[in-house]
Amino acid sequence: MEPLTDRQIRSSFVNCTKGEASRLRLPLDFAALPWEDLDFLGWVDPGAPLRAHLVLPREDGPLGISLRVPATGRTSAVKSSLCQICLTGHASSGVTLLAAPLAGSRGREGNTVGTYICADLACSLYIRGKRQPRLRAGRQEESLTVDERIERTMTHLNAFVDKVAAG
């Protein structure tokens, strides 16, 4: 992913107001992000931990969506969950349901769409082996190359983001 500026990120959001986009906080490590290893930018807002954000590169410029993170509840130490975006297995607390208000009038009416995704939004790093989930058997052995896994991940993520953007 090509590095993005603060302004590019804030102007990319399709499912929140300009005021909300201007108030969101960028990741704490924004200046040190490993852009070359990212297929998309995803983070939990450090100033509002029940909010998360995704920004994807698109041909016509970056596209951002704002998400809601559910309040944490009790999780099981023995259960595992699978990210629907990158297919990485995690201990149950490593995957969370993120809900995105739809863009436009349907979103203002309260309509949302959700997906289960890595709680730290680091799918790009998991599929490259740069980060390991706490669950020992988090990444199953696959015959796909890293490039094929990246393509699969982006197909899943783009399908989700398209649902949000279509409103």
Side-chain angles (χ1 to χ4, degrees):
M1 179 174 185
E2 293 294 320
L4 298 172
T5 65
D6 178 296
R7 186 176 185 170
Q8 288 175 305
I9 291 169
R10 291 179 194 284
S11 65
S12 72
F13 286 90
V14 296
N15 69 338
C16 66
T17 67
K18 288 182 180 181
E20 289 169 330
S22 70
R23 289 187 299 272
L24 68 84
R25 286 180 144 173
L26 295 176
L28 295 175
D29 61 346
F30 184 71
L33 285 173
W35 292 101
E36 65 280 353
D37 291 326
L38 298 179
D39 304 301
F40 65 93
L41 176 60
W43 75 100
V44 174
D45 193 317
L50 297 181
R51 288 245 177 237
H53 312 285
L54 292 174
V55 179
L56 286 77
R58 295 278 177 106
E59 284 186 20
D60 53 344
L63 178 90
I65 62 170
S66 205
L67 305 132
R68 283 180 258 168
V69 180
T72 56
R74 300 179 96 168
T75 58
S76 170
V78 294
K79 288 186 179 180
S80 62
S81 299
L82 191 68
C83 172
Q84 292 180 343
I85 302 300
C86 68
L87 305 182
T88 298
H90 291 272
S92 62
S93 62
V95 172
T96 191
L97 174 65
L98 295 181
L102 296 176
S105 62
R106 292 186 62 209
R108 288 188 296 275
E109 294 169 359
N111 294 307
T112 62
V113 64
T115 191
Y116 286 93
I117 190 168
C118 297
D120 59 4
L121 301 167
C123 297
S124 297
L125 301 178
Y126 290 118
I127 59 178
R128 286 174 171 77
K130 305 265 181 176
R131 185 175 288 179
Q132 297 300 317
R134 290 188 187 127
L135 184 65
R136 288 186 191 170
R139 291 241 28 109
Q140 298 298 317
E141 224 22 70
E142 291 185 285
S143 60
L144 297 176
T145 65
V146 171
D147 287 338
E148 291 169 327
R149 285 183 281 188
I150 292 168
E151 183 178 336
R152 178 185 62 198
T153 296
M154 293 309 293
T155 298
H156 293 170
L157 188 58
N158 278 305
F160 173 68
V161 170
D162 288 344
K163 288 179 192 175
V164 175

